[in-house]
Amino acid sequence: MMDLVWLTLPQVIANGLLQGSAIALGAIGLTLTYSILRFANFTHGETISWGGYFTLTALAALTPWIGGIGKWGGLTFGWGLVVALGVGVVGASLLALALDRLLFATLRRHGSAITLVIASFGASLALRNLIVFVYGPESVQFTRELVIADRWLGGLVRVTPDQLAVLGLSAALAVGLTVFLRFTTTGRAMRATAENPALAQITGIDTAHVVRTVWVLGAVLATLAGVFIGITAQLRPELGFDLLLPLFAAAILGGIGSVPGAMLGGLIVGLAESAAVEYLHAGYRNAVGFLVLIAILVIRPTGLFAARG
Amino acid sequence: MLALQGLVAGYEPGLPIVRGASLQVADREILTLLGPNGAGKSTLVKAIAGLVPITAGQVHLSGRDITGLGAHRLARAGLGFVPQTENVFTTLSIAENLALAGFFLPSHHQRRRVAAMYALFPDLAERRHTDAGRLSGGQRQMLAIARALIPEPRVVMLDEPSAGLSPKLVQVVFQKLVEIRAQGVTLVIVEQNAKAALAIADRGIVLVEGAPRFVGPAQDLASNPEVARLYLGRRETA
Ligand SMILES: Nc1ncnc2c1ncn2[C@@H]1O[C@H](COP(=O)(O)OP(=O)(O)OP(=O)(O)O)[C@@H](O)[C@H]1O
Ligand SMILES: [Mg+2]
């Protein structure tokens, strides 16, 4: 039995990191919107789905010009996907900005925090059903091309080039975003607005602009998460909804407001899911996010990296 | 320099806290705003700073109408504000606080201003990479003042800069304020500590129920027994 665990562990870790990186990208967006807007935004899961579907639609619509998804080396995608992703990012950003403008901005002025949360839950339901209405209930894939997994560690781990690319890109994004928040004026303005919006305004920061920037940034990360999942697995209408629990678990585990925390939280939740699927039963996957969430709330409610101050 | 005409402001519609405040602040003047708790002193300066809605009246800065301009525009228009509490970004270092305070300036100008603030407050220079949340009360107040001064404002309003400081530190802070005025900045200081404030001020205003009740030269207010008895806070009545 122990031998079996050791032999399967490398693959479990690889699967966990892959799932975890998608969770991490989503959780970073969730933690950013929370820290600036101060409410749990349930529509973030739907932004992940819509980002993926927008990209897929752009790919189909633009095929006469871009000639399809493209092909880079052993990957199943190339320039075509990059162009479509650009369109998907714009679509998801406009969706997020429209939600803020039409729904959340009004409620921020007149409602309480709980009204915002309930409104975001309602909006997410509507957005999910809209996906079923527009794209149908079946899952869809970016490409039908079959990929051969490369064997690593003497055959103990099988990963596709797509999966490796997605892992690398996610890591690069997380590092880039951390640097952006730490060292750029926009990043500092975002941290300042998160801590104290009134003081940020006095300091000359247009906090309404910061809020829009955060929505766009969250939508960009969400679209990337959606497309990464679409490439390495598939798109389903419930994709975003099923991700909500792991996303919140990761964001809270990492300490709400902390980008490195959300990244690490995402990886931990991904690894825990992967271990549960391998060693318990595939049906336990969704329970894992819930267990992690309960555990962290009981043991350390501020998370691993509580935002300073 | 700064002029208010019949200013009415409050947090909720139909519930004015500032009720028809008119006053003029001269160039390079130190004006102190006194009054009992709940008189509306903080609300008045917050309304001028764009943080509380103004429902009637006007605010002019250097002759320009800045009524309802929006808090984030006022920093660039030459008005600085140091709130009483939460007046620095605790999760940012001293250097980051100061850099952010001048983010809209050309970068060489911004660096020159940050250097000027380190010269004015040497304590801050020594600890520039410390998170502002870890500073002592006095250092924090210095940083809050430095933050407001970075964009070279014409007028700076300070809400109770002496609150929570030891008497010795109060003297240090007020001495800095005198230095800052000497550099050409007009100051409006809200204070509970009337004695210390009137000692450095040119003029004082006693605000009662949202409107100025007494206005006059600082010495006159300091020696006016009625003002002292009624409105200068607990220190004098105790
Ligand atoms: N954020 C707020 N929302 C609603 N009402 C407020 C708010 N802040 C202050 N008030 C009310 O406005 C009135 C004036 O308060 P303000 O803080 O301006 O007085 P103050 O003169 O600064 O008093 P203090 O000397 O205690 O600082 C008070 O009745 C207070 O309850
Ligand atoms: Mg006050």
Side-chain angles (χ1 to χ4, degrees):
Chain A
M1 179 66 198
M2 271 323 276
D3 285 355
L4 202 63
V5 169
W6 283 117
L7 288 177
T8 49
L9 197 58
Q11 186 66 51
V12 167
I13 291 176
N15 293 347
L17 290 177
L18 191 68
Q19 173 73 4
S21 63
I23 296 174
L25 289 182
I28 291 171
L30 195 66
T31 220
L32 282 178
T33 45
Y34 184 88
S35 65
I36 301 275
L37 301 160
R38 305 254 159 237
F39 78 102
N41 175 24
F42 284 97
T43 63
H44 198 67
E46 261 37 66
T47 313
I48 295 177
S49 305
W50 273 101
Y53 279 97
F54 277 141
T55 304
L56 195 70
T57 308
L59 201 54
L62 293 175
T63 292
W65 293 277
I66 59 180
I69 195 165
K71 181 136 183 70
W72 280 335
L75 304 173
T76 63
F77 57 88
W79 281 115
L81 183 68
V82 175
V83 174
L85 189 61
V87 179
V89 157
V90 171
S93 300
L94 290 177
L95 175 68
L97 288 173
L99 278 172
D100 187 53
R101 186 72 172 272
L102 301 175
L103 187 64
F104 300 131
T106 322
L107 292 174
R108 267 203 300 282
R109 276 193 297 276
H110 303 296
S112 61
I114 192 70
T115 342
L116 276 166
V117 172
I118 292 171
S120 82
F121 199 76
S124 81
L125 275 173
L127 286 169
R128 186 173 350 131
N129 285 304
L130 200 59
I131 292 178
V132 180
F133 183 73
V134 176
Y135 296 96
E138 287 87 29
S139 61
V140 282
Q141 275 166 328
F142 272 85
T143 166
R144 278 190 225 294
E145 190 182 338
L146 282 178
V147 279
I148 315 292
D150 296 325
R151 289 170 182 274
W152 302 75
L153 294 181
L156 286 182
V157 187
R158 293 194 330 253
V159 273
T160 65
D162 283 357
Q163 290 174 324
L164 275 181
V166 161
L167 265 179
L169 284 171
S170 304
L173 272 168
V175 171
L177 196 65
T178 307
V179 170
F180 168 79
L181 286 174
R182 236 219 95 95
F183 298 112
T184 66
T185 296
T186 309
R188 279 189 196 129
M190 284 173 57
R191 286 192 286 147
T193 305
E195 180 188 327
N196 188 338
L199 188 61
Q201 283 183 299
I202 298 168
T203 307
I205 296 166
D206 183 352
T207 51
H209 182 71
V210 170
V211 166
R212 287 191 294 272
T213 307
V214 166
W215 279 112
V216 169
L217 200 56
V220 171
L221 294 169
T223 305
L224 286 165
V227 170
F228 287 175
I229 293 170
I231 292 170
T232 53
Q234 62 213 356
L235 290 181
R236 296 172 292 118
E238 316 80 38
L239 173 72
F241 179 77
D242 289 347
L243 270 173
L244 273 180
L245 202 55
L247 291 189
F248 275 101
I252 294 171
L253 180 62
I256 271 288
S258 163
V259 168
M263 187 72 200
L264 190 71
L267 293 180
I268 292 175
V269 173
L271 287 168
E273 282 190 358
S274 162
V277 168
E278 176 70 27
Y279 302 124
L280 300 173
H281 183 273
Y284 282 109
R285 173 190 283 255
N286 292 335
V288 166
F290 187 66
L291 283 180
V292 171
L293 193 59
I294 296 289
I296 190 70
L297 288 176
V298 170
I299 298 166
R300 193 176 154 82
T302 51
L304 299 175
F305 289 74
R308 290 177 298 166
Chain B
M1 178 56 38
L2 181 69
L4 312 183
Q5 283 124 29
L7 202 69
V8 179
Y11 302 91
E12 282 149 56
L15 268 179
I17 305 287
V18 174
R19 303 183 182 113
S22 299
L23 61 92
Q24 305 270 340
V25 192
D27 192 11
R28 294 174 181 236
E29 183 177 32
I30 297 185
L31 177 85
T32 182
L33 197 54
L34 308 169
N37 292 113
K41 307 181 292 293
S42 297
T43 308
L44 175 59
V45 285
K46 282 196 271 183
I48 299 170
L51 296 175
V52 171
I54 294 172
T55 47
Q58 272 130 40
V59 187
H60 284 86
L61 180 69
S62 315
R64 176 181 171 203
D65 189 348
I66 57 161
T67 319
L69 198 54
H72 70 277
R73 295 233 163 76
L74 290 169
R76 297 170 211 220
L79 183 73
F81 178 40
V82 182
Q84 180 180 344
T85 55
E86 297 177 6
N87 50 20
V88 297
F89 296 110
T90 55
T91 53
L92 270 54
S93 69
I94 290 178
E96 287 178 319
N97 267 278
L98 295 179
L100 196 58
F103 76 91
F104 47 82
L105 303 172
S107 61
H108 60 95
H109 185 188
Q110 182 198 34
R111 279 195 296 275
R112 192 164 53 70
R113 289 302 296 160
V114 172
M117 287 306 116
Y118 285 146
L120 185 62
F121 301 108
D123 276 11
L124 297 183
E126 272 171 38
R127 314 196 56 190
R128 63 184 74 189
H129 297 300
T130 310
D131 277 0
R134 299 175 54 191
L135 298 178
S136 70
Q139 291 165 333
R140 203 167 153 145
Q141 197 59 260
M142 301 294 186
L143 177 59
I145 295 170
R147 195 195 52 67
L149 287 172
I150 289 272
E152 288 190 281
R154 306 291 307 272
V155 178
V156 175
M157 304 185 294
L158 302 101
D159 195 352
E160 304 208 24
S162 78
L165 299 186
S166 70
K168 215 165 114 196
L169 268 175
V170 172
Q171 287 315 311
V172 175
V173 169
F174 277 44
Q175 224 33 64
K176 285 292 176 197
L177 294 178
V178 171
E179 260 179 69
I180 289 159
R181 185 264 289 274
Q183 293 177 3
V185 183
T186 304
L187 297 176
V188 175
I189 309 174
V190 174
E191 260 305 336
Q192 288 283 324
N193 191 343
K195 216 176 199 164
L198 286 170
I200 64 161
D202 303 304
R203 281 194 309 146
I205 288 191
V206 180
L207 199 73
V208 180
E209 290 174 5
R213 175 78 55 96
F214 295 90
V215 184
Q219 299 97 315
D220 293 5
L221 283 183
S223 59
N224 181 328
E226 194 196 356
V227 168
R229 187 173 55 80
L230 285 172
Y231 303 119
L232 294 193
R234 292 179 211 95
R235 275 179 193 80
E236 278 73 19
T237 51

